[in-house]
Amino acid sequence: MPLCWFLCGLTTMSQDLGKQEEDLAESKMQWFKEAKLGVFIHWGLYAVNGIDESWSFYNGYISHEDYLKQTKGFSAKNYDPLAWADLIKKSGAKYSVITAKHHDGFALWNTKFGNLNALESSPTKRDLIAPFVKALRRNNLKVGIYFSLPDWSYADYTHFTRDSIRYKIVDRPQRWNTFLNYSQGQLKELSENYNPDLWWFDGDWEHTSEEWQAPKVRQLLLNHNPKAILNSRLQGYGDYSTPEQGMPITRPKDKYWELCMTMNNSWGYQKNDRDYKTIDQIIGIFTDVISNGGNLLLDIGPKADGSIPKEQVEILKGLGEWTNKHKEAIYGTAAGIPKEHFYGPTTLSKDRKILYLFIKGDPKGEIVVRGLKNKINRIWVVGEGTKLSHKVVGKVYWSHYPGITYIQVPEHVLDKQMTVLALLLNDEVDLYREDGAVIESN
Ligand code: GLC
């Protein structure tokens, strides 16, 4: 057999395999790409004192012993998982991610590994994850499990507080293995019990991918559910990236990404933190996110009794009113057009023939779209229905420069938060990206 046949055959085969993997990744990421909004839940014993989740003892603001005393006050007595799921659904979110275990090691589910968990060490005496997973599924919402790789309370974990490390892996590899068996045992348990659609790891910075056995962990979870999605915080073995708190200013290069963000300045419930973002600000950030092709994972921090603070309920409800009215411009859309063409967030329908413009505040009469080569067949106000007229200005007959489009937006169609316009184009969106031209013969 000529060498080329053999080698070329191999190359095609590996190309096919690569393509297959890509298709698989694409298909499993589909729901995530279309979901746009998720609700993050940080719930744990830290809600009792209203202090930083795990970090408060790690950073030495409270002793570990006193931190753990919070278990006594973690009652969950008003926990209503169905009401949680209902509120999440109403917000317009399509998935939710709950902290099954934060860095402090306190597990919210019925685990056979270790004994720091809601059943054994708090008055709740029950599995808090199981009924929530059920409630989410009943509402057709995807299930995400947050799992901290570090477990600072576990006696065989390396790190304890900022100033004290229990041991180094090189000195005590056996001890590290004990920890890995425990941690991977918990992961297996979670995947068998709840079969999450998404895994949200955190804390990977404390060890390398070899030390975490990241490829093995990934495989373990995918063996159970090949369609499970993993976030990026597994030292390079995840499926999408997770910028935190700060809305990216330039469009992220990653194909799949999710901004996780608090409503105030805390992930968990902190009585003292009243510094909430306004609903307008949250909608503004959300539209920036989807305009750039990402998802927003908006956090709530329920109280120790399981009730959700009223400010957070109000934000989710307000968000829900807006997302429901404007759903056609949100779900299943693609990232919008470059900012030079419209000074605000935009999205595109799947077939790229409808351009959605998000208009903040009162545009005072007209808004501007620049360099749109398409003909606009129709413009309407999303969720309101009024048809709007437009005018093209500055189109020159001697060049294909398309001019500037002005759209009249009367005051009575404005949404109290953010108005959305739909522009039905004659074809897939086509933008003028060249320099201006000079007339050569007049
Ligand atoms: C950080 C923090 C953690 C929080 C997480 C959410 O990684 O360690 O406390 O849960 O961000 O993204």
Short mmCIF file of all heavy atoms in Angstrom, two decimals, residues 40 42 53 55 102-103 146 200 202 205 233 244 260 267, ligand 1:
data_model
loop_
_atom_site.label_atom_id
_atom_site.label_comp_id
_atom_site.label_asym_id
_atom_site.label_seq_id
_atom_site.Cartn_x
_atom_site.Cartn_y
_atom_site.Cartn_z
N PHE A 40 -28.27 31.57 39.86
CA PHE A 40 -27.24 30.97 40.70
C PHE A 40 -27.78 31.01 42.13
O PHE A 40 -28.40 32.01 42.52
CB PHE A 40 -26.00 31.86 40.60
CG PHE A 40 -24.67 31.17 40.75
CD1 PHE A 40 -23.49 31.89 40.59
CD2 PHE A 40 -24.58 29.82 41.04
CE1 PHE A 40 -22.24 31.28 40.70
CE2 PHE A 40 -23.34 29.21 41.16
CZ PHE A 40 -22.17 29.94 40.99
N HIS A 42 -26.50 30.60 46.08
CA HIS A 42 -25.51 30.34 47.12
C HIS A 42 -26.26 30.18 48.43
O HIS A 42 -26.74 31.15 49.00
CB HIS A 42 -24.50 31.49 47.23
CG HIS A 42 -23.37 31.38 46.26
ND1 HIS A 42 -23.53 31.53 44.90
CD2 HIS A 42 -22.05 31.11 46.45
CE1 HIS A 42 -22.35 31.38 44.30
NE2 HIS A 42 -21.44 31.12 45.21
N GLU A 53 -19.33 33.55 52.40
CA GLU A 53 -19.34 32.10 52.24
C GLU A 53 -17.90 31.59 52.30
O GLU A 53 -17.04 32.06 51.57
CB GLU A 53 -20.04 31.71 50.92
CG GLU A 53 -19.34 32.08 49.62
CD GLU A 53 -19.30 33.59 49.32
OE1 GLU A 53 -20.10 34.33 49.92
OE2 GLU A 53 -18.47 34.00 48.49
N TRP A 55 -15.05 32.01 52.81
CA TRP A 55 -13.89 32.91 52.89
C TRP A 55 -13.76 33.56 54.26
O TRP A 55 -12.66 33.95 54.66
CB TRP A 55 -14.00 34.00 51.81
CG TRP A 55 -13.85 33.44 50.44
CD1 TRP A 55 -14.87 33.14 49.56
CD2 TRP A 55 -12.64 33.06 49.79
NE1 TRP A 55 -14.35 32.62 48.40
CE2 TRP A 55 -12.98 32.56 48.51
CE3 TRP A 55 -11.29 33.10 50.16
CZ2 TRP A 55 -12.03 32.09 47.61
CZ3 TRP A 55 -10.34 32.63 49.25
CH2 TRP A 55 -10.72 32.14 48.00
N HIS A 102 -19.94 24.29 49.09
CA HIS A 102 -19.01 25.40 48.89
C HIS A 102 -17.64 25.02 49.47
O HIS A 102 -17.46 23.90 49.94
CB HIS A 102 -19.58 26.70 49.49
CG HIS A 102 -19.03 27.92 48.83
ND1 HIS A 102 -17.97 28.61 49.34
CD2 HIS A 102 -19.37 28.53 47.68
CE1 HIS A 102 -17.67 29.61 48.52
NE2 HIS A 102 -18.52 29.59 47.50
N HIS A 103 -16.69 25.98 49.45
CA HIS A 103 -15.33 25.65 49.91
C HIS A 103 -15.29 25.20 51.38
O HIS A 103 -14.34 24.55 51.80
CB HIS A 103 -14.38 26.86 49.78
CG HIS A 103 -14.44 27.57 48.46
ND1 HIS A 103 -14.66 26.92 47.26
CD2 HIS A 103 -14.28 28.89 48.14
CE1 HIS A 103 -14.66 27.82 46.28
NE2 HIS A 103 -14.44 29.00 46.78
N TYR A 146 -23.33 23.26 41.65
CA TYR A 146 -22.05 23.90 41.98
C TYR A 146 -21.34 22.98 42.95
O TYR A 146 -21.91 22.54 43.96
CB TYR A 146 -22.32 25.26 42.63
CG TYR A 146 -21.11 25.93 43.28
CD1 TYR A 146 -20.54 27.07 42.71
CD2 TYR A 146 -20.57 25.44 44.46
CE1 TYR A 146 -19.45 27.69 43.31
CE2 TYR A 146 -19.48 26.06 45.06
CZ TYR A 146 -18.92 27.18 44.49
OH TYR A 146 -17.84 27.79 45.09
N TRP A 200 -20.92 22.97 37.87
CA TRP A 200 -20.28 24.28 38.07
C TRP A 200 -19.18 24.12 39.12
O TRP A 200 -19.44 24.19 40.32
CB TRP A 200 -21.31 25.29 38.52
CG TRP A 200 -21.14 26.66 37.95
CD1 TRP A 200 -21.80 27.20 36.90
CD2 TRP A 200 -20.27 27.70 38.44
NE1 TRP A 200 -21.39 28.50 36.69
CE2 TRP A 200 -20.45 28.83 37.62
CE3 TRP A 200 -19.33 27.79 39.48
CZ2 TRP A 200 -19.76 30.03 37.80
CZ3 TRP A 200 -18.64 28.98 39.66
CH2 TRP A 200 -18.87 30.07 38.82
N ASP A 202 -15.63 25.07 41.12
CA ASP A 202 -15.05 26.31 41.61
C ASP A 202 -13.82 25.97 42.45
O ASP A 202 -13.75 24.91 43.06
CB ASP A 202 -16.09 27.06 42.47
CG ASP A 202 -15.74 28.53 42.66
OD1 ASP A 202 -14.86 29.03 41.92
OD2 ASP A 202 -16.33 29.17 43.53
N TRP A 205 -8.08 26.86 41.32
CA TRP A 205 -6.79 27.53 41.41
C TRP A 205 -5.87 26.94 42.48
O TRP A 205 -4.67 27.16 42.46
CB TRP A 205 -6.99 29.04 41.66
CG TRP A 205 -7.80 29.33 42.89
CD1 TRP A 205 -7.35 29.35 44.17
CD2 TRP A 205 -9.20 29.63 42.95
NE1 TRP A 205 -8.39 29.64 45.03
CE2 TRP A 205 -9.54 29.83 44.31
CE3 TRP A 205 -10.21 29.75 41.98
CZ2 TRP A 205 -10.83 30.13 44.73
CZ3 TRP A 205 -11.48 30.07 42.41
CH2 TRP A 205 -11.79 30.24 43.77
N ARG A 233 -13.99 25.93 35.28
CA ARG A 233 -13.10 25.93 36.44
C ARG A 233 -12.67 24.53 36.85
O ARG A 233 -12.84 24.10 37.98
CB ARG A 233 -13.78 26.67 37.60
CG ARG A 233 -14.14 28.09 37.20
CD ARG A 233 -14.62 28.92 38.35
NE ARG A 233 -15.09 30.21 37.86
CZ ARG A 233 -15.57 31.16 38.61
NH1 ARG A 233 -15.64 30.99 39.92
NH2 ARG A 233 -15.98 32.30 38.09
N GLU A 244 -16.45 36.55 36.04
CA GLU A 244 -17.18 36.72 37.30
C GLU A 244 -17.36 38.20 37.63
O GLU A 244 -16.40 38.96 37.57
CB GLU A 244 -16.34 36.01 38.38
CG GLU A 244 -16.88 36.12 39.76
CD GLU A 244 -16.19 35.10 40.70
OE1 GLU A 244 -15.73 34.03 40.22
OE2 GLU A 244 -16.12 35.38 41.89
N CYS A 260 -21.20 35.30 35.71
CA CYS A 260 -21.91 35.09 36.97
C CYS A 260 -21.81 36.38 37.76
O CYS A 260 -20.76 37.03 37.81
CB CYS A 260 -21.39 33.89 37.74
SG CYS A 260 -19.63 33.89 38.06
N TRP A 267 -22.43 36.81 47.50
CA TRP A 267 -23.00 35.60 46.88
C TRP A 267 -24.05 34.99 47.79
O TRP A 267 -25.14 34.64 47.36
CB TRP A 267 -21.89 34.58 46.59
CG TRP A 267 -20.93 35.06 45.56
CD1 TRP A 267 -19.67 35.55 45.77
CD2 TRP A 267 -21.14 35.14 44.14
NE1 TRP A 267 -19.10 35.93 44.58
CE2 TRP A 267 -19.97 35.68 43.58
CE3 TRP A 267 -22.20 34.81 43.30
CZ2 TRP A 267 -19.84 35.89 42.20
CZ3 TRP A 267 -22.07 35.02 41.93
CH2 TRP A 267 -20.90 35.54 41.40
C1 GLC B 1 -15.51 32.79 43.71
C2 GLC B 1 -15.60 32.54 45.19
C3 GLC B 1 -16.86 31.96 45.64
C4 GLC B 1 -18.08 32.13 44.81
C5 GLC B 1 -17.75 32.11 43.35
C6 GLC B 1 -18.91 32.35 42.44
O1 GLC B 1 -14.84 31.83 43.03
O2 GLC B 1 -14.59 31.69 45.63
O3 GLC B 1 -17.06 32.29 46.96
O4 GLC B 1 -18.89 31.09 45.09
O5 GLC B 1 -16.75 32.99 43.08
O6 GLC B 1 -18.47 32.53 41.12
#
